[in-house]
Amino acid sequence: MIAQRTPPLIEFKHFPVSKNQLAAEDDDENRLVLTLHYNGMITECNKAGSKLLRCMPSELIWQHISRLLPQLKNVALMEGSNLNPYLHFLTRVGYRFEVMSLSGARLIARVFFCEVGSTEHRFLRVIICPLTQEIMAS
């Protein structure tokens, strides 16, 4: 018998996006780039991203990714030795994630997941591209 794989439940919400869209979504100054260990712990953060969340990069190190992306609280990042296909699906369909800063402020963003590194030292890279210019108050 073949086991049926059911995706983790993520509640789909409609998040309104500000009319002040970012002019260039691909601008590196407007991206939060994180490197994660497979257990979901943040091991690296870019300076532009920490500025976006109004904190020091060191404050994000060893925080679990669900601290910033609450929708991932009960979601397995990995399935076996590969990225969870459901997360890959959410990336492909442009799902809008709610990103929460350490202070509780929120913003809406597209999130991309990919695997990086060699076979011996593999990590997850998470790229968060805000869809709003300003972080929303909590």
Side-chain angles (χ1 to χ4, degrees), residues 56-69:
M56 298 294 295
S58 60
E59 293 178 82
L60 295 172
I61 305 301
W62 299 119
Q63 296 284 335
H64 193 271
I65 187 63
S66 63
R67 180 71 173 83
L68 300 178
L69 299 169

Side-chain angles (χ1 to χ4, degrees), residues 8-18 25 32 34 36 52-53 64-77 83-101 105-114 125-132 134-136:
L9 296 176
I10 292 182
E11 183 179 330
F12 286 89
K13 297 179 184 176
H14 173 70
F15 292 113
V17 177
S18 166
E25 245 185 74
L32 173 59
L34 303 170
L36 306 181
L52 179 73
L53 293 177
H64 193 271
I65 187 63
S66 63
R67 180 71 173 83
L68 300 178
L69 299 169
Q71 296 97 325
L72 299 181
K73 185 173 183 176
N74 296 314
V75 176
L77 299 176
L83 178 65
N84 181 335
Y86 189 61
L87 294 177
H88 181 70
F89 167 76
L90 292 176
T91 294
R92 298 286 292 171
V93 298
Y95 179 75
R96 294 176 180 180
F97 282 85
E98 181 178 33
V99 180
M100 189 169 294
S101 73
R106 302 178 327 257
L107 62 92
I108 306 305
R110 290 183 59 207
V111 179
F112 301 90
F113 301 89
C114 61
R125 177 77 33 92
V126 178
I127 302 168
I128 300 173
C129 300
L131 296 172
T132 53
E134 297 177 5
I135 201 160
M136 297 180 288

Side-chain angles (χ1 to χ4, degrees), residues 36-51:
L36 306 181
H37 191 270
Y38 280 130
N39 65 3
M41 302 305 280
I42 299 169
T43 60
E44 197 173 62
C45 171
N46 67 333
K47 289 180 184 176
S50 63
K51 183 178 176 184

